[in-house]
């Protein structure tokens, strides 16, 4: 059986890759309003491919933001139902000058497909469309009931999907939610994520005057918005990277010996990480390994800081305003709203004299955890084993897919996160890519899984 | 006599303003290489006007950077020689969105001429061209010998004029150097600056990895270039704005009782300043007034800080690099190279673990001081008195015209800084403008001065 599919996918490989490239060429950046039309175009493209794959009831639902796509194939009476979730929107691309080939001109080099969205998440989502299509073409039926629910707002924290889920609970009901938007641990080392960090984000502005000022005429006598900003932002962490905001760690669980053991099983190579990213040293809270810091500890990151002159040469200006963008990754029972409140209080208390703070809370999502002993997760680990030759480990992922917690709690079904990416595929960064080895094995693993349950 | 000139300038006012607007419309930004052609165009424009004014030996000298223009009229035998210095280059214009009218579309509103360069320095320099032209037209001769030496690199710290000065010392020899590139204290309160702060500048970059990273996959476990940058930059000042760099204040003179008295004479209204700039509070070293801080104390200003995502929406990125631009204003005997060295040492010592520092020193210039009892300065104060009805005060200016110290020491002549700007004319900032009252009175004051010496 597996051999048949191997031949089928080999035979259609070029055709599949060309299709995926076509999709990747559409710059569906959900965060930037000028790309609204492109996001819609990417949705249409996907709906068309779902129909072509043989799925039924393919529908594009408009929302207050970007569209949601649903489809299904429900002819396996008495068999479980799997809801496949994914997203067709992508991250912004700057700094553009660091891309080796343009982000929306997909390019295959050394067995890797380079493009924004190649791994996060168009490439991984595409595997499910083609796996289902393959089974339908080979068998004229599916061994389980399959539903798709695909959104275009994951990269902006899914503002509109929760309402849709509430309103269509029955239509979307499933025994498991299948998601490929995470990573293997390393080439040949598959993993199923049983935890995702939550998230909250905010923006802040400091203003010190009603106009930019000349540093000759005023320098040394008036506040400088950038001085105020670096002073304020430097108050957020101690030297070891522990967040200094009072109350930030409320709801974080201490790591048990069992959890530390589970993390240790990954045999993560910190030296290799340092080398591959050209890091002088790792960084973070004392007393935790890298995988523990990323998997079980929260973080507060400055994603952008800017103010004053950024052009060529110099400009003797005292900037009137400075800006910062911040996101936090949350774990366990941290309440994203409580974290935002704690940060707001800290920022207000630490804003230097002479500066006026504007604080804007943005996204928020709880962390998510699932019990790996659930049969739907055990079978997924087996499917990896059958295809990769190595059974998947159950891990905790540092990233956030804010909607997973919502999907799982609303539909009361476990989330099965079968990731086919790799940790160094430059998600959210220049030169994002997808290793085609996992493109090939991913198709087979999904077929194997759907047939095993 | 004065009455004749008043009538003459009234009669030619519209024509003069139209000419100046034509010049201001040329975006001669010396710091940006894409404007090299515009800088050359602004130089040609000025050379043409100097010829039209009746000056002789008008020459455009090319340099390694932007051209120097010289001209003279040397027919007043036995009379002193005045060298008029000024610059036709302007500052960059961003943030462009804060301009009420475009920076290179000059616009008169409420008796003010708005444009980049309106007061710094095209507008002020233009007064000298038109004052000399007026005398030549009215009297067919000048009461003194006049030379012009005009550059296009003042806003980038005059890299090429010093060599030209050394090579043409004799040709440029003068009894006084006349410069209008400073300000009145307030409307109707003329001032002659007898001191300018020196300057040094630098850029720095911190790098923490070879690629931007996803805050989900890595956040909390790897260094963030922005965290390192805000920590490093916040180490440069204490809470009161005193610079924390060891050795920074070497060569700074303590303020004597006499100097404090001289500053107090300005009767500077700090409350009014706060109100006009919408400042919550003033800022700076303890124990000094605003005019003392700006006139007699050095400062270190962050002019630009940037890294990570600056677009609309959010991006969960850990930036690999962050950048900062810094300038210092120096006083008394501070050596700009020693200050740069001290800052470099501080930055190296305070760069957080995991970050790699790249440090680039840029401009440097000594502070300048002149003795106000010199007759050429006393007569300048009298000329203001005759036209404005108030004799000019002798002040210390916080700004830097790096070339003034060089001009004065190379030509061994006092610099007479007759400023016609106002402190709130948004030099180096959006909505730069020139109050036309001082356009009118400036022309008369220059004529009065040239006739009095």
């Amino acid at each position: 059986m597996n051999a048949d599919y191997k031949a089928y996918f080999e035979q259609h490989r070029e055709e599949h890759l060309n299709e995926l490239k076509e999709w990747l060429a559409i710059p569906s950046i959900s965060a930037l309003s000028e790309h609204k039309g492109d996001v819609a175009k990417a949705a249409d493209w996907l709906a068309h491919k779902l129909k072509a794959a043989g799925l039924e009831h393919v529908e594009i639902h408009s929302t207050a933001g970007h569209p949601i796509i649903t489809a299904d194939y429900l002819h396996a009476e008495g068999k479980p139902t799997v809801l496949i979730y994914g997203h067709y929107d992508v991250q912004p691309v700057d700094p553009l000058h660091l891309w080796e080939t343009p982000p929306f001109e997909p390019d295959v080099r050394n067995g890797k497909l380079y493009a924004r969205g190649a791994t996060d998440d168009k490439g991984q989502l595409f595997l499910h469309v083609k796996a289902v299509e393959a089974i339908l073409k080979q068998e004229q039926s599916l061994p389980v009931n399959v539903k798709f629910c695909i959104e275009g707002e994951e990269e902006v924290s899914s503002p509109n999907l929760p309402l849709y889920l509430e309103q269509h609970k029955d239509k979307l009901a499933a025994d498991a939610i299948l998601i490929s938007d995470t990573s293997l641990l390393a080439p040949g080392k598959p993993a199923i994520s049983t935890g995702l960090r939550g998230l909250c984000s905010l923006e802040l502005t400091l203003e010190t005057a009603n106009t930019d000022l000349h540093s000759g005429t005023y320098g040394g006598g008036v506040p400088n918005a950038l001085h105020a900003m670096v002073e304020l932002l430097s108050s957020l962490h101690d030297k070891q990277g522990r967040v200094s905001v009072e109350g930030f760690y409320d709801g974080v669980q201490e790591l048990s010996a069992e959890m530390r053991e589970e993390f240790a099983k990954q045999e993560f190579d910190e030296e290799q990480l340092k080398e591959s990213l050209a890091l002088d040293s790792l960084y973070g809270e004392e007393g935790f390994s890298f995988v523990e810091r990323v998997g079980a500890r929260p973080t507060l990151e400055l994603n952008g800081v800017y103010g004053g002159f950024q052009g060529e040469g110099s400009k003797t200006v005292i900037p009137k305003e400075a800006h910062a963008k911040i996101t936090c990754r949350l774990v366990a029972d941290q309440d994203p709203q409580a974290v935002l409140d704690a940060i707001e209080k800290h920022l207000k208390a630490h804003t230097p004299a002479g500066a006026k703070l504007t604080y804007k809370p943005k996204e928020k999502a709880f962390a998510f955890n699932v019990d790996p002993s659930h049969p739907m997760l055990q079978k997924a680990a087996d499917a990896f084993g059958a295809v990769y030759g190595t059974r998947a480990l159950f891990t905790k992922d540092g990233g956030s897919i804010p909607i997973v917690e919502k999907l799982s709690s609303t539909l009361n079904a476990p989330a099965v996160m079968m990731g086919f990416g790799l940790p160094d595929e430059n998600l959210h960064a220049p030169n994002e890519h997808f290793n085609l080895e996992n493109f090939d094995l991913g198709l087979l693993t999904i077929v194997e899984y759907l047939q095993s349950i």
Side-chain angles (χ1 to χ4, degrees), chain A residues 46-229:
Chain A
L46 175 61
H48 174 77
K49 291 294 168 187
L50 287 166
K51 264 181 222 160
L55 285 147
E56 300 173 346
H57 308 116
V58 178
E59 289 169 8
I60 300 181
H61 311 276
S62 51
T63 72
H66 302 299
I68 293 163
I69 296 166
T70 56
D72 60 42
Y73 195 90
L74 306 175
H75 302 288
E77 227 171 299
K79 293 294 177 80
T81 300
V82 170
L83 175 76
I84 295 166
Y85 164 84
H87 64 95
Y88 61 87
D89 62 323
V90 300
Q91 279 276 316
V93 295
D94 55 274
L96 191 58
H97 69 280
L98 295 179
W99 286 79
E100 282 162 22
T101 50
F104 298 109
E105 295 177 21
D107 186 46
V108 174
R109 301 194 290 280
N110 304 321
K112 297 167 187 175
L113 172 57
Y114 286 82
R116 170 59 84 227
T119 185
D120 177 18
D121 178 48
K122 283 175 180 165
Q124 294 205 51
L125 172 55
F126 184 72
L127 300 178
H128 291 273
V129 182
K130 291 296 147 184
V132 168
E133 179 180 74
I135 305 176
L136 278 171
K137 279 197 181 165
Q138 302 277 88
E139 332 263 345
Q140 284 76 49
S141 71
L142 292 183
V144 287
N145 298 298
V146 167
K147 299 177 179 178
F148 278 83
C149 178
I150 313 298
E151 69 161 323
E153 301 188 310
E154 196 272 344
E155 300 294 2
V156 292
S157 279
S158 310
N160 293 297
L161 189 53
L163 178 67
Y164 183 85
L165 289 178
E166 284 296 339
Q167 289 173 340
H168 301 87
K169 260 187 221 186
D170 297 341
K171 178 181 151 183
L172 298 172
D175 299 294
I177 302 156
L178 182 56
I179 305 170
S180 295
D181 197 14
T182 48
S183 297
L184 284 80
L185 284 174
K189 282 181 78 178
I192 293 171
S193 178
T194 62
L196 292 167
R197 289 196 284 189
L199 182 138
C200 63
S201 67
L202 61 117
E203 294 180 13
L204 66 129
T205 296
L206 290 180
E207 275 175 287
T208 46
N210 58 10
T211 183
D212 282 354
L213 295 169
H214 186 291
S215 79
T217 319
Y218 296 98
V222 299
N224 177 321
L226 283 171
H227 294 194
M229 185 58 94

Side-chain angles (χ1 to χ4, degrees), chain A residues 244-318:
Chain A
S244 313
V245 174
E246 204 185 316
F248 182 81
Y249 290 94
D250 290 356
V252 177
Q253 280 171 354
E254 286 315 304
L255 272 184
S256 65
E258 290 74 25
M259 287 165 82
R260 288 197 186 253
E261 216 168 287
E262 191 67 26
F263 279 118
K265 271 193 206 157
Q266 294 185 30
E267 294 172 352
F268 187 83
D269 187 344
E270 297 194 350
E271 285 308 310
Q272 200 272 325
L273 175 75
K274 276 168 63 177
E275 204 173 302
S276 73
L277 299 176
L279 303 181
D280 239 33
S281 58
L282 292 177
Y283 174 85
E285 284 183 277
E286 273 183 38
F288 298 95
S289 68
F290 176 80
V291 284
E292 289 167 353
R293 283 170 180 162
V294 169
R297 301 295 299 175
T299 183
L300 183 158
E301 298 290 334
L302 303 178
N303 307 122
V305 174
Y306 53 104
F309 184 63
Q310 302 184 27
E312 189 192 347
S314 73
K315 186 172 179 214
T316 49
V317 66
I318 300 176

